[in-house]
Amino acid sequence: MLDAEPAPRQLVAYECARKHRVEVPFSVEAEVPDTWECPRCSNEALRVGHVQPQRPDEKPVRTHWDMLLERRSVDELQELLDERLDLLRKGDIGPGFLHAYEKPAARTRKGRATTG
Ligand SMILES: [Zn+2]
């Protein structure tokens, strides 16, 4: 086996929220993580002087409403809403519908039975 020369090292500093600072030696070839576990309080320590990459091209946050509109037009949604409201008023769905059901007999739980 060849005794390879040790790769050069770099000290990377991390600091946790409680300002504990830890310096971790990494090989310069190693991929240095952005976070490290603080050896003192086990919190996540962030790499000092390392700016989290900004992504200016990132899309604006899509809301549920945006996603909904990608699938349905407002007219369609209105139609669906009217339909559901109609059902709700007739008691076919919603609380009235649920209460119309008889409660099913208590189901026996499947799975492990704990015996003392
Ligand atoms: Zn700490």
Side-chain angles (χ1 to χ4, degrees):
M1 213 162 86
L2 283 175
D3 223 350
E5 225 173 85
R9 305 213 148 224
Q10 57 175 332
L11 270 185
V12 180
Y14 293 91
E15 203 174 80
C16 79
R18 295 188 188 179
K19 299 283 171 201
H20 300 142
R21 198 181 169 100
V22 56
E23 288 186 340
V24 187
F26 286 100
S27 154
V28 291
E29 289 156 13
E31 205 171 298
V32 178
D34 291 342
T35 58
W36 198 257
E37 190 189 291
C38 174
R40 288 214 257 168
C41 66
S42 297
N43 277 324
E44 190 181 59
L46 294 177
R47 194 173 164 187
V48 173
H50 180 72
V51 182
Q52 296 283 339
Q54 296 273 330
R55 282 188 285 171
D57 58 327
E58 209 169 328
K59 284 184 192 167
V61 178
R62 274 163 81 221
T63 64
H64 286 106
W65 177 241
D66 294 331
M67 293 179 210
L68 200 57
L69 285 184
E70 283 168 19
R71 299 169 55 167
R72 308 238 189 225
S73 71
V74 174
D75 283 349
E76 280 175 326
L77 289 171
Q78 186 62 54
E79 207 173 295
L80 282 171
L81 180 63
D82 289 342
E83 203 181 291
R84 300 311 278 180
L85 282 175
D86 193 44
L87 287 173
L88 191 61
R89 284 184 193 115
K90 285 195 293 188
D92 286 347
I93 59 169
F97 177 68
L98 291 176
H99 290 304
Y101 259 130
E102 251 184 355
K103 275 193 178 169
R107 282 188 214 155
T108 46
R109 274 174 110 192
K110 274 187 186 175
R112 273 170 271 167
T114 47
T115 48

